[in-house]
Amino acid sequence: MSNNLQPIAGHDFALPAHTVLCLHGADAMAFAQAQFMNDVGRLTDGQWQWNGWLTPKGRLIALFALLRLDPETLWLLLLPGTDAATLAQALQRYVLRRKVTIAPQSLPVSARFSAPQDARDATLAQIGDGVIELDMSGDGGPRRLLIGATGLCDAQAEAAWARADMTHGLPWLSEAQAGQWTPQQLSLQRLNAFSVKKGCYPGQEIVARTHFLGQSKRGLVLLETDSPIAVGAPVQAAGETIGQIIATAAPLALAVLPHDAPLALHSADGHPLQRRALAAGLVRG
């Protein structure tokens, strides 16, 4: 791949598009278990998992890292494209009489292309005065992410981080893409990001039916292009549209395509789109 990820930054750099949402209260765990698509009950204090919130029709609204800090506190580390205040307002409609508060946090997020200091896999670490460290390492190399620590403004390093997320199949869903795709269409089983065995949650019936009947005919594909391509752009084969670009980090893009899509792909303006293998190693929780 022409953009092989290199540890270009030997310092902590800012990730300003990542935001944090806090759920706190005696019913925070019960609320999260009832609303989110993964099994929150599997987490113990100091662990995290990939998780998400779906529409009643089983389409992904937001993908996030869900951190359990203590029995009454969860943090949602939101991927770029999801607005914390908007998501908090949407979730608030379902609180009803539960004892839980939902509030965005004014916390900086930073990262470094190096092995974590103390965090390992699904176990987070508190490494300073309120600083949380996550292990974001995978087949693409070591990565650490810090919540509550500032980093330098480094556009090159930030772009490399985005490419690494694309390589691992982490879709940064824009507002236009939110609510369009099922977890299976986004291949989120690769991240162990949803459960088909826990109790009910919005969209659970559709997710479980798709899983057990094997009806998902589309999945996430990593592409590389030598020309700019926009989110929402069609992916074509032999002049026919067969899928759509859902996230980009030039020269990479993620697309939802049929599982039996041909190898020869191109954009609507005829530029070739080269398939690349998704990296593994980001399963957590």
Side-chain angles (χ1 to χ4, degrees), residues 205-285:
E205 182 179 354
I206 293 172
V207 171
R209 185 189 308 133
T210 301
H211 172 80
F212 290 112
L213 297 181
Q215 293 178 337
S216 180
K217 298 180 180 179
R218 294 174 174 267
L220 204 63
V221 176
L222 179 66
L223 302 172
E224 184 176 6
T225 177
D226 60 1
S227 64
I229 191 166
V231 171
V235 176
Q236 298 186 337
E240 298 291 331
T241 296
I242 62 169
Q244 183 181 137
I245 299 295
I246 66 160
T248 62
L252 299 181
L254 289 172
V256 174
L257 298 176
H259 293 310
D260 59 356
L263 294 177
L265 303 170
H266 60 85
S267 62
D269 55 7
H271 287 276
L273 301 172
Q274 303 294 328
R275 284 177 179 261
R276 301 303 182 200
L278 286 167
L282 279 188
V283 174
R284 299 293 185 263

Side-chain angles (χ1 to χ4, degrees), residues 44-276:
T44 59
D45 292 355
Q47 291 187 324
W48 69 279
Q49 64 184 193
W50 294 111
N51 210 321
W53 194 39
L54 305 176
T55 70
K57 294 184 178 181
R59 267 54 179 179
L60 188 71
I61 298 171
L63 179 68
F64 44 81
L66 181 71
L67 291 61
R68 173 169 165 158
L69 302 187
D70 60 53
E72 295 190 356
T73 309
L74 294 169
W75 279 4
L76 282 63
L77 174 67
L78 305 177
L79 295 181
T82 301
D83 179 72
T86 300
L87 183 60
Q89 185 176 22
L91 286 169
Q92 187 65 43
R93 295 198 297 267
Y94 300 92
V95 169
L96 302 177
R97 296 182 179 180
R98 292 186 186 272
K99 296 178 180 179
V100 56
T101 60
I102 305 173
Q105 303 297 292
S106 299
L107 293 169
V109 179
S110 60
R112 181 191 290 244
F113 288 105
S114 65
Q117 177 178 312
D118 295 311
R120 291 294 181 273
D121 298 323
T123 301
L124 57 86
Q126 299 192 30
I127 61 170
D129 185 15
V131 176
I132 301 296
E133 180 188 55
L134 299 181
D135 181 4
M136 288 288 179
S137 305
D139 285 357
R143 297 194 301 164
R144 67 189 293 231
L145 184 144
L146 301 174
I147 301 174
T150 58
L152 299 176
C153 292
D154 187 332
Q156 184 182 14
E158 189 179 348
W161 189 271
R163 291 194 298 271
D165 274 2
M166 297 295 122
T167 300
H168 286 98
L170 279 176
W172 292 12
L173 296 183
S174 66
E175 183 178 355
Q177 291 294 314
Q180 299 297 313
W181 310 102
T182 68
Q184 288 95 338
Q185 288 172 334
L186 297 175
S187 299
L188 294 181
Q189 64 274 7
R190 297 180 64 254
L191 302 177
N192 195 26
F194 62 91
S195 172
V196 296
K197 297 181 179 180
K198 78 166 192 170
C200 294
Y201 55 88
Q204 183 268 344
E205 182 179 354
I206 293 172
V207 171
R209 185 189 308 133
T210 301
H211 172 80
F212 290 112
L213 297 181
Q215 293 178 337
S216 180
K217 298 180 180 179
R218 294 174 174 267
L220 204 63
V221 176
L222 179 66
L223 302 172
E224 184 176 6
T225 177
D226 60 1
S227 64
I229 191 166
V231 171
V235 176
Q236 298 186 337
E240 298 291 331
T241 296
I242 62 169
Q244 183 181 137
I245 299 295
I246 66 160
T248 62
L252 299 181
L254 289 172
V256 174
L257 298 176
H259 293 310
D260 59 356
L263 294 177
L265 303 170
H266 60 85
S267 62
D269 55 7
H271 287 276
L273 301 172
Q274 303 294 328
R275 284 177 179 261
R276 301 303 182 200

